[in-house]
Structure formats: C-alpha cells, structure tokens
Amino acid sequence: MGKDKLKMLESPWKILGTVACAGFLASVSFLPAQPKPADSCVACHTDLDESLTRQMDGDIHLERGLGCVGCHGGDASQSDQELAMAATRGFAGRPKPAQTAAFCGKCHSDAGFMKKYNPALRIDQQAEYLTSVHGKLLGQGNQMVATCISCHGSHGIRSVSHPMSRVYPQKVAQTCGKCHADSGYMKSRLPTDQVAHYGKSVHAEALMKKNDLSAPTCNDCHGNHGASPPGVSSVANVCGTCHTRQAEMFRQSPHNASFQQLGQAECLVCHDNHEIAPPTDQMLSVEESGTCADCHSEGDKGYAAAQAMHRSITDLSGRLNEVEQLVTRAERAGMEVSRARIGLSEGHDALIGARVVVHRFSASHVKTETDRGMASARKTRQLGEQALNELQFRRKGLAASLLVIGLALVAVFFKIRQIERK
Amino acid sequence: MKTTSEFEHQTTAPPELSRIQAAQQWLRHRLGTAPVEEMAGHKTVPVHRHTIWYYLGGMTLFLFSIQVVTGILLLLYYRPSAEEAFESVQFIMTDVSFGWLVRSIHSWSANLMILTLFIHMFSVYFLKAYRPPREITWITGVLLLFIALGFGFSGYLLPWNKLAFFATRVGTEIPRVFPFVGDFIMRFLRGGDEVTGATLTRFFGFHVAILPALTTAILGVHLWLVQSHGMSRPRGTEHENDREMKFVPNFLLRDIMGWLVALGILAALAAIFPWELGEKADPFVPAPAGIRPEWFFLFSFETLKLLPAHIWFFEGEALGILGFTLGIGFWLLVPFLDRNAARGLPSRGFTVIGVVVVIYIVVMTAIGFWS
Amino acid sequence: MEPTIKKTTRRGFLDYVLGTSLGAVLVSVCYPVLSFLIPPRVAESADVSVVAGKVTDLAPNSGKIFKFGSRAALLVRTPGGEIRAFTARCTHLDCTVQYRSDLQGIWCACHNGHYDLQGRNVSGPPPRPLEQFKVNIRGDEVVVSRG
C-alpha cells in the first residue's frame, strides 16, 4: 500500500498539482480576513459629510473597538435609516449639553465596564464634574458651560497623553481659552484675560518653550473635571503641591494669619495668579518698584524686615557674581577651576535657599542662609585666587627659563664667533 | 690615540688625559664608536645662500625627540579607555606636578613639528635635493610625512573630548570613498563601524607602538642616507667658492641655537596659551557646529567640502580623493620624474608645480580657518 | 706669554659660561620632568574615584553630600544599613537633592520631587531617575567610583 502511494507521488503532474494546491491555500490564508459586514453608520454618514468620518481617524474609542454604536447606540447592521437609528435598538442620538456628562458617564463611571479597557483609569470624572463650577451652572440651566465634549472633543478623541489630544498639557490653556478667552461668549461674567496672562508666565515658558510637561497649566491649579478656582485660604496649598518649602515657610510666617484676616489670597498678592513672572530680588526692595512697598511703609516692622532681607540677598548675589568673574578669569587663562566651580554652585544653592526662606518673612532666618552662602563664596574666592597665583607662578617660571635659554643662546653665539675667528 | 675633540689645548706635550677624556677613551674602546666619531669629525656642510634650509631637518628631529620624551611622560598617567581618558588628561592638567607643562608642550610641539616638517620638505623640493643619488632619501622623507600626519591624527583623539571625537568621525568617513577597499579601511581605522572606545584603544596602539616602530625603521634609513650621501649642494651655488663648514662644532652649535629658540617658544606657548581640554565626548549627542580637523588636514578637508557633489557623472568627493591619491603618487615619484634635475639642468616646470602646490595649501588652509 | 694667557682665560671664561648656561637649561628641563615623575598625593582623578567618607560616620537612614569630581553627589545609608551613592543633581532642573530620613527617600526641595532609595523618580516633576555610582568599602572608607 505504501509503495502505491509513493508511486502516486512520483508522477510529475501529481506533484505539480499538490504544489499548486498547497500554494493556493497558503496564499489564500494570507488574504485579509473576511470583510466585516458593512457598518451602515459609517456608510451613510460618509456620504452625507465625509469630514465626520475622517475625524474618527485615530479616535481612541474606535481603536478600542467601540464604533458609533458604542456611544450612540442603534444598529449598524441595518442599512435602513429608521431601523438603524431606532430607539428600540438603543439609539440615543446626540446628547444635549445637560445630558453629556451622563452620556459619557454611562461607561466612564462604570468600574466594571472600564476595567475591561483600562483598569487604571479613574471613574469619578462625572461625580467630580458635578462639583465643578461648570457642573453646578449646568445644573442651574446654563447651557453655555463646558461639558465633556467641549474639552475632549466628541469624535477623534485621543488619550490625554497623546500630543494631539486637546487636553495634552501643552494644549490645555488653548482649550480652556476657547471659551474663557472669548469675551463675547463669556458675556462679561468673568474676565477673559487669563490665557493671555498665563502665556506670559514662567510656567507657560517652562511648559511650552522648554517642554517641561510637569509645569502647571490651568487644570493643575483649578482641577480638570472638578474645575473651580481655589478658595482664598487654600491658594498656598495649591501652589504648595510643587513649591512645598515656600508654602511651609509661608504658613509659619506672620503673613499667614494677617492675609486670612484681610481676606487676601495668599501667594497671589505678590506673585499674581496667571501672569506669574520670574521673581526677582527687586521685589524685596522698599522702593517704589518693590512689592513689599505696596503695603509696608517706613517705620513698620515689615518695612524693616524687607529692607534687611533685601540687603542680605543682594549682598550675597553680588558677592557670588564677583567671585564668578574671578573664577572665569582664571579659567580663560587656562587654569583648571572645577573645584572652584563646586564652591560657586554651593553658594548658589544657598542663595536659592535664602530666596525660599524669604517666605518666612523673617530677616534672621534669611541671614542664616545668606551667611552660609557667603562662607562658600569666601572659600571659592580663595580657590580662584590660588588659581591666579598659580598662573603668576607659571609666568614667572617661564620668564626665568626664558632668561636661562637666552643666556645659553648668547653663550653659544659667542662661542661660534670665537671658534670661527681663528 | 689623538682625540678629535675640538677642545685641544696642547699640540706638543704627550697627551695627559683628563679624567673625562680617560672615561671617553674607555667607552670608545668598548663601544667601537671610533668610526662614528671619525665620520662626525669629517662631516661638512656646504656654505652658500641656501645653507639656512639645512637646519630644518635637524629642527624637525629635535621637535620629534621632544614628542618622544613628553609622550613617554604622559604615558605614565594617561588611560586609553573611553571611560577614563578624558579624566586622566584632566588629572594630568590639574593634579600632576608640571603635568600642564608636559601636556601643553606635547600638543604644541606636535603642531610645530609638522610645520617644520612641511617647510623642510618644500625646501628640499625647491632645491631639488631629491635628484640622484638621493631618491630614496626623498621617498623615506615623504613616508615620514605620512607617519607624522598619522601621529597627529591618532594623537588628536586621545583626550576623548567632543571636538576630537567628531573630527575623528568625519576624518574616518573620508576613506569610504575609495572603491572596494573604502569600507574596509574605515572599519580598520575605527575598530568597528562607529567611533567608539574601541577606536580610542586602537588609535592609542597606533600612536605609541605601531607608528613609533615604523618611524624608528624609516627614520633610521633616512638619517643613514643623509649621513652617507652628505648634504646636497643645490644647482647654481657652485660659484660660491665651494665653501664648507665643519658639522662638529660649527654647524652643530648653530643647530643648538635654533633648538634653544624652539625650546623657548614651546615654553612660552605652553605657559601663555595652554592647550585646551574641552568637554568630554558623548557619542549620543549631535555634533556641535564648527567641527573641523586639525590645521594640517584643513586644506584637504576644505577641498572636499568645496567640490561639487557631482562632476560629470562622477561623485565629487570620489574625484577629490582620486586627485589627492594621484598627487601623492606624483610627489613620491618626483625624483624619477624630474629628468632635468637629474641631469643637473634647470627644471622650471617642477618649480612651478611646487609653487602652485604651496599656494594651494596655504589658500585652502586659510579658507578653512575663516569659514 | 701674555697674549696666550689672555686668550686662554677668555676662552676659559666663555667655555665656563657656555657649560654653565647649557647646564642650567638642562636643569630647567630635568626639574619639571623629575617632579612630574613623582606621583601626586591623590593618586587618582577625583572624577573617577573618591573617598566619600567613613562608614562609621554614616548612620542608617541618613545621607550626606560629598564632592565627586566637579559635581555634588549624595551618599545614602538606607534604613537597612546598605550604602549607596547617587548624583545629587535633580533630573528636573539641576537643584541639589537631599536625603529625608522622615520620608526614607531622596527629595528635591525646589519643586517637591521625590526619589526612592533606588534613585528612581517616584513623584513630582523629575523625569528621570538619579544616576547611581559604584560603592566599595575599603576598611573604614567608603570609596565611590563611576560604574
């Protein structure tokens, strides 16, 4: 029996046939899978308005397998419009603003459902939203506030960490500004200059120009789903999430109680809320341009403290500059100054520390820091001067050796003359 | 038994040898240096209006000796690995006593040596000293030029700073233009496909072992030939009374004057313009602007940069390299090509070629500096 | 006789000056060379290996800043007793970090960045972990070197 089988395979036509069948099967297995049954939503709506379906390119819901039906309900297998968009088949249509949070929340607040797609995602956005100013106003009937889709979009939603998402850190201010910077839309209920001010701030520069995604934007201080401005006495807590030491110092300072009493919004009083400029030592000065002078006048304790703090810090800053110039001079002359540079960076660390301790608003505390900086500056100056002395030593050594060489040259010259005169 | 020393004080009384002279005598008998001293004593140097050029070979040799000495000293502290090279040079510059001096002199003297080498070569060329019987002297000399350029190229990388790293990367790309062997040459030089720590180790091996060994051999031949043929008298100086100067002591003392001046210049350069250390190389950072090779490679580098990408249907760079290769071939074979000089006749053509080459090198180097 | 004596004296003087000056040149070359040959007090570059401190000076759950080459570094003794060394430069904006025994971790005061005992950035702005260095104990000395 085996022999017969072998004989069959030996025939050239049979071999060819087997190979052809195998080849066909192999190629067919590489064909794309059976096309899905037509998605009638996409089919009809593409005809109606191509831009809508194109928007869905890259949409995260679509990528996870949730098509039109996943949010809007209905039956995508039906080509008849009435059947496809029948309420009986779950069609929910386009939600009104007041219904949007619930519409998205249907899935996004369902822990069991979300676990299937991304167990790490939070599911309290809808609840948070209801506590926000937007959510509250919406509850009172104001349809002009932001809902989920105002910020995230409706079609073409991307993951928050995707650079094309409208809520990617670098895009947030622009997205909020769509309403909050539009004075016509805000109908003078709120100022509309926040985005413009923020754009000039040191945080915006860090985020947009230096690509530091950890820098704060609107949602970092105001919250995203629970968006509302922080209360007057909690501003320092908000700023303090990153600027912990300053907040710590502030809470221990006399301004903590007095600002609360006056109803002053803590950090904002000196630093502004949106247009936070890089702080300067000049702010401590008691002249017109100084920030302290805005409230304090000559004779009061605050004035004296500001004056003293300003002096300590500008003294240290000036001294460090001087020493830096000395070290750079030595470096340019070719001396190696890496140890001096460490001393300088220690001095700068102390200066930064002093500027943080300013928020304690106590001249003695600031002086402790600046004294530390002065000690480093002193040590560094010594190293810098040593480097310059070494330079002098080398120059003197050079002069001496050139003298010796010169002497030898003269001697050889005369020796030549001597032996050639003969 | 009479010594050939120049400090002869007595000619009549029997030689009463001083202790130094007795010691010299003792060594002479054992080392058999009498014939060498004989040769040195008889060696003379022609005196004419071009005598000054005779000093350049010795100057180059002097500067080379300085390289050897300072190089050996640096070897005691330098570490040839990508992780430690930069730090070891920094250590030499800051913590080792007079390390700054040894290192700066080594770097400056390298450049000065190549300069004097070029001047020496061109003076020999223009004075046609390559004509028979000095053809091999010329060829060994040109080979020594390439060895010196090899020293310069390999040594430049050793501090492993940013400039050197990128200059090496660019420099080792150029051989790729050669058909068939180009990639192989590049891999051979780099010790791999990219410039890495392997390249550093390999260049170190070239710099302290292979090139010195080659130099010993070829320089030995070159110096032997110079001694055996004597100094060449250029055409056109025959009417200058055929004056000759004794090598020992007259020419040698003048040599020593030159060497003392060179020593002074090196000391001044090292103290006033110490050689920079730069920043440690980081292979993963993009190349900073203004990368260029050392000045003695600038002219060829600029030429390749200025050549158009395509000439007819040939790649511009390939044609450039071909041009250089042919040029080098011509230069090596000049003694055999210059028939007129061989016969003692004027050879204007070759002089013109030489002038063109000098102008080309000077102009391209200047362009390289100012672009 | 006199002219001969004069000649010899002048000649002798020049030879003397020549010999002495050339000798002086030789000395001014040899002195730096010999000085160079003597190893410096610190045998290795401070950028490659450094004695960061003494084991006995470092209590568990504490840290101290030390100089490593041209930069600041942090020596940490974990609550478990292990000694580790990291760069003290925060990966966010280059501030100098510190060890916080209350947090049992490394902290950057500038913007509240936190690193764990492995140097990994665990909270706040820092985008990358702290570079770690190799630690060896030599008797009572803690020797820190590049990995």
Side-chain angles (χ1 to χ4, degrees), chain C residues 13-66:
Chain C
F13 174 69
L14 186 56
D15 284 347
Y16 171 74
V17 171
L18 183 64
T20 314
S21 59
L22 284 177
V25 171
L26 210 64
V27 165
S28 69
V29 166
C30 287
Y31 172 67
V33 169
L34 290 171
S35 192
F36 181 91
L37 291 169
I38 298 170
R41 213 167 324 146
V42 177
E44 280 208 304
S45 160
D47 249 329
V48 166
S49 155
V50 129
V51 173
K54 290 211 186 328
V55 179
T56 44
D57 287 342
L58 208 57
N61 195 21
S62 75
K64 96 170 183 157
I65 298 280
F66 67 98

Side-chain angles (χ1 to χ4, degrees), chain A residues 3-62:
Chain A
K3 259 217 281 221
D4 287 350
K5 271 218 174 108
L6 271 169
K7 254 173 113 176
M8 234 168 56
L9 286 172
E10 273 171 33
S11 155
W13 290 113
K14 296 235 165 91
I15 294 176
L16 197 64
T18 321
V19 168
C21 285
F24 175 74
L25 283 169
S27 60
V28 158
S29 66
F30 283 117
L31 282 173
Q34 289 289 341
K36 286 202 266 274
D39 185 324
S40 68
C41 317
V42 173
C44 286
H45 281 275
T46 314
D47 280 340
L48 287 171
D49 177 10
E50 215 182 40
S51 65
L52 180 63
T53 35
R54 255 191 287 124
Q55 266 177 42
M56 290 298 282
D57 281 341
D59 180 278
I60 190 169
H61 293 128
L62 188 61

Side-chain angles (χ1 to χ4, degrees), chain B residues 255-271:
Chain B
D255 246 342
I256 289 177
M257 280 183 76
W259 298 346
L260 284 171
V261 171
L263 198 63
I265 292 177
L266 277 175
L269 286 170

